[in-house]
Amino acid sequence: MIYKITVSTKNIIQPLNKLGVEDIDEKSFFFVEAADPDDACYKALNKLKTKIIEQNLTDEIVDYLEDELHNDTKVISLRGVKPH
């Protein structure tokens, strides 16, 4: 099934700005194909990590992503969508 995931990223904007990542909005939307909602959330967070790493990759950013990202983001919407 394809899921549309909305993630609140407002708590990670300031820490990432300090680390040199500028292009993060307060909400991020991701479409993922997954077997269940838990898998969809996991894949959406991985897409968010990839988006951040594409902008800037340093040891400090990797540490932040491994340690704090899951605590500072929140899935605010999850919907199953039908393909066209």
Side-chain angles (χ1 to χ4, degrees), residues 12 16 21 24 30 42-57 61-62 64-70 73:
I12 67 170
L16 287 176
V21 178
I24 299 293
F30 300 99
Y42 175 79
K43 288 181 177 183
L45 286 179
N46 281 339
K47 283 189 171 192
L48 177 61
K49 288 179 185 179
T50 301
K51 181 179 176 181
I52 293 167
I53 289 172
E54 286 174 348
Q55 293 183 43
N56 193 0
L57 179 60
I61 290 175
V62 171
Y64 179 78
L65 295 178
E66 289 176 350
D67 299 335
E68 301 297 326
L69 183 73
H70 291 244
T73 57

Side-chain angles (χ1 to χ4, degrees), residues 7-75:
V7 180
S8 173
T9 53
K10 67 181 179 181
N11 292 336
I12 67 170
I13 292 173
Q14 187 175 13
L16 287 176
N17 284 343
K18 290 179 182 178
L19 295 172
V21 178
E22 300 289 331
D23 189 27
I24 299 293
D25 298 322
E26 285 193 17
K27 290 183 183 176
S28 295
F29 303 94
F30 300 99
F31 289 91
V32 297
E33 186 170 344
D36 56 54
D38 288 335
D39 189 35
C41 292
Y42 175 79
K43 288 181 177 183
L45 286 179
N46 281 339
K47 283 189 171 192
L48 177 61
K49 288 179 185 179
T50 301
K51 181 179 176 181
I52 293 167
I53 289 172
E54 286 174 348
Q55 293 183 43
N56 193 0
L57 179 60
T58 64
D59 290 337
E60 291 84 13
I61 290 175
V62 171
D63 289 341
Y64 179 78
L65 295 178
E66 289 176 350
D67 299 335
E68 301 297 326
L69 183 73
H70 291 244
N71 298 326
D72 293 343
T73 57
K74 180 170 78 170
V75 173

